[in-house]
């Protein structure tokens, strides 16, 4: 396939995905049935992951796939019994062995070097004094991200999440709704992702997340934010995000943690600063139901 043909095919797939229902549902912060590609990015971290995936990894894995396919076809045609009735007695080929050892190493190096920058983006908490994404060679330049204004502690339990707003005295458990509860309380939210109490954060705000666990190892992951960090008992791991769009964004525990591992989702509601201020003031008084009612009225 020529370079032009491949770019045309890629553009065609992108166009089809853009007009598909799956692509439209991807804006809701969860994977849609039949969706092709990563979830829609709403943070600088996920931006760097998406660019790294689309601009490097996809080209490399496509080239490898086509090369292996060509080799298989060549071997099938050239070395079948009809075309080659007398099989070769070759035991080894030094050049081939060197090539298939060195080339994969070089490919892995090409992938590894920029991946360190992407990882550093997630691991480096913005300090407000410098731009962000400077380590990622695939970024379009530094992005101004302020220092964290909100710190939340997320604790994984078997099998739900506990959240604590470190500076505001608000804490609660977030538990998945079963089918009956979801149908009666939140019918518009996705099955196995809807929870009784979402994590509420303001838009355009750097949020530091301290992640730990109360029993076994869990993992806190929200694909649209590009974050995934282990929750380890007795240890505080740290990540951050800066959501630039309001809406509901979902994740799940991403470390096998027991029989109900698949039933401890993460739901993050990103709201305007005014809505958040009203919510946190009410929640800080111990009235979560009233705080949530304020958000419902504002929608």
């Amino acid at each position: 396939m020529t370079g032009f043909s491949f770019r045309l095919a890629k553009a065609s797939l992108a166009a089809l995905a853009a007009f598909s229902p799956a692509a439209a549902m991807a804006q809701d912060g969860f994977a849609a049935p039949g969706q092709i590609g990563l979830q829609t990015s709403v943070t600088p971290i996920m931006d760097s992951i998406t660019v790294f995936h689309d601009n490097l990894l996809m080209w490399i894995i496509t080239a490898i796939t086509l090369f292996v396919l060509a080799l298989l076809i060549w071997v099938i045609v050239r070395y079948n019994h009809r075309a080659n009735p007398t099989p070769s007695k070759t035991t080894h080929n030094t050049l081939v062995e060197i090539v298939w050892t060195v080339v994969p190493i070089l490919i892995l190096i090409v992938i590894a070097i920029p991946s360190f920058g992407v990882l550093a983006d997630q691991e480096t908490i913005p300090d407000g004094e410098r731009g962000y994404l400077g380590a990622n060679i695939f970024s379009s330049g530094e992005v101004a991200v302020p220092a964290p204004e909100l710190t939340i502690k997320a604790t994984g339990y078997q099998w739900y999440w506990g959240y604590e707003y470190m500076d505001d005295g608000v804490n609660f458990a977030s538990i998945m709704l079963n089918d009956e509860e979801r149908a009666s309380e939140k019918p518009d939210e996705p099955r196995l992702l809807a929870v009784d109490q979402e994590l509420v954060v303001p838009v355009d705000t750097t949020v530091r997340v301290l992640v730990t666990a109360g029993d076994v190892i869990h993992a806190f992951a929200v694909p649209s934010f590009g974050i995934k960090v282990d929750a380890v008992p007795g240890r505080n791991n740290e990540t951050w995000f800066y959501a630039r769009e309001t809406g509901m964004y979902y994740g799940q525990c991403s470390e096998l943690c027991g029989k109900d591992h698949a039933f401890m989702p993460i739901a993050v509601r990103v709201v305007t600063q005014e809505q958040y201020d009203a919510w946190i003031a009410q929640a800080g008084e111990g009235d979560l139901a009233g705080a949530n009612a304020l958000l419902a009225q504002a929608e």
Side-chain angles (χ1 to χ4, degrees):
M1 181 180 290
T2 66
F4 174 79
S5 299
F6 178 76
R7 289 193 295 271
L8 180 61
K10 185 179 180 182
S12 300
L13 287 173
L16 288 172
F19 288 100
S20 68
M25 292 182 67
Q27 296 292 335
D28 292 330
F30 63 95
Q35 178 180 331
I36 298 175
L38 302 176
Q39 291 189 30
T40 303
S41 171
V42 293
T43 68
I45 296 175
M46 189 58 184
D47 288 346
S48 67
I49 293 173
T50 301
V51 173
F52 175 60
H53 175 270
D54 292 349
N55 289 10
L56 180 67
L57 293 184
M58 280 299 296
W59 292 93
I60 290 177
I61 64 177
T62 300
I64 292 173
T65 301
L66 295 176
F67 176 69
V68 172
L69 176 62
L71 282 180
L72 287 173
I73 294 174
W74 178 61
V75 169
I76 291 171
V77 173
R78 174 64 182 83
Y79 295 103
N80 63 63
H81 177 70
R82 183 182 305 169
N84 192 43
T86 303
S88 171
K89 293 182 173 56
T90 303
T91 59
H92 68 280
N93 186 302
T94 303
L95 177 61
V96 170
E97 292 178 6
I98 292 175
V99 169
W100 74 31
T101 301
V102 173
V103 171
I105 291 174
L106 295 177
I107 292 173
L108 291 176
I109 291 174
V110 169
I111 293 174
I113 292 175
S115 76
F116 296 151
V118 177
L119 181 61
D121 290 341
Q122 180 177 347
E123 297 293 329
T124 305
I125 307 297
D127 56 17
E129 297 180 358
R130 59 177 177 78
Y132 164 75
L133 296 181
N136 182 3
I137 65 172
F138 287 98
S139 66
S140 57
E142 291 190 348
V143 178
V145 176
E149 303 172 48
L150 174 63
T151 299
I152 296 173
K153 184 177 181 180
T155 305
Y157 299 97
Q158 291 177 309
W159 289 269
Y160 63 94
W161 291 94
Y163 297 115
E164 179 181 356
Y165 290 70
M166 304 296 290
D167 301 320
D168 299 291
V170 176
N171 60 83
F172 53 84
S174 180
I175 302 172
M176 190 192 79
L177 299 178
N178 60 36
D179 289 342
E180 293 75 18
E181 292 169 334
R182 184 182 67 89
S184 61
E185 299 176 26
K186 299 180 178 181
D188 296 330
E189 295 193 21
R191 182 176 179 269
L192 300 183
L193 292 177
V195 298
D196 60 349
Q197 177 60 56
E198 299 90 3
L199 181 65
V200 180
V201 299
V203 71
D204 295 329
T205 300
T206 304
V207 180
R208 177 194 285 117
V209 186
L210 304 178
V211 182
T212 187
D215 36 45
V216 300
I217 297 177
H218 302 274
F220 188 86
V222 183
S224 290
F225 293 171
I227 59 174
K228 179 179 180 181
V229 58
D230 284 343
V232 181
R235 177 185 301 174
N236 273 332
N237 288 328
E238 189 176 45
T239 188
W240 69 279
F241 62 86
Y242 180 92
R244 56 175 175 262
E245 296 181 19
T246 59
M248 283 288 296
Y249 302 95
Y250 299 93
Q252 291 177 302
C253 175
S254 297
E255 182 72 33
L256 185 60
C257 58
K259 70 180 184 66
D260 286 340
H261 161 67
F263 306 106
M264 52 180 299
I266 299 162
V268 183
R269 182 186 295 271
V270 181
V271 299
T272 65
Q273 186 65 54
E274 294 76 14
Q275 291 172 331
Y276 176 77
D277 290 340
W279 181 87
I280 198 67
Q282 191 83 0
E285 297 176 357
D287 186 9
L288 267 177
N292 292 333
L294 290 176
L295 290 182
Q297 293 172 6
E299 291 179 349

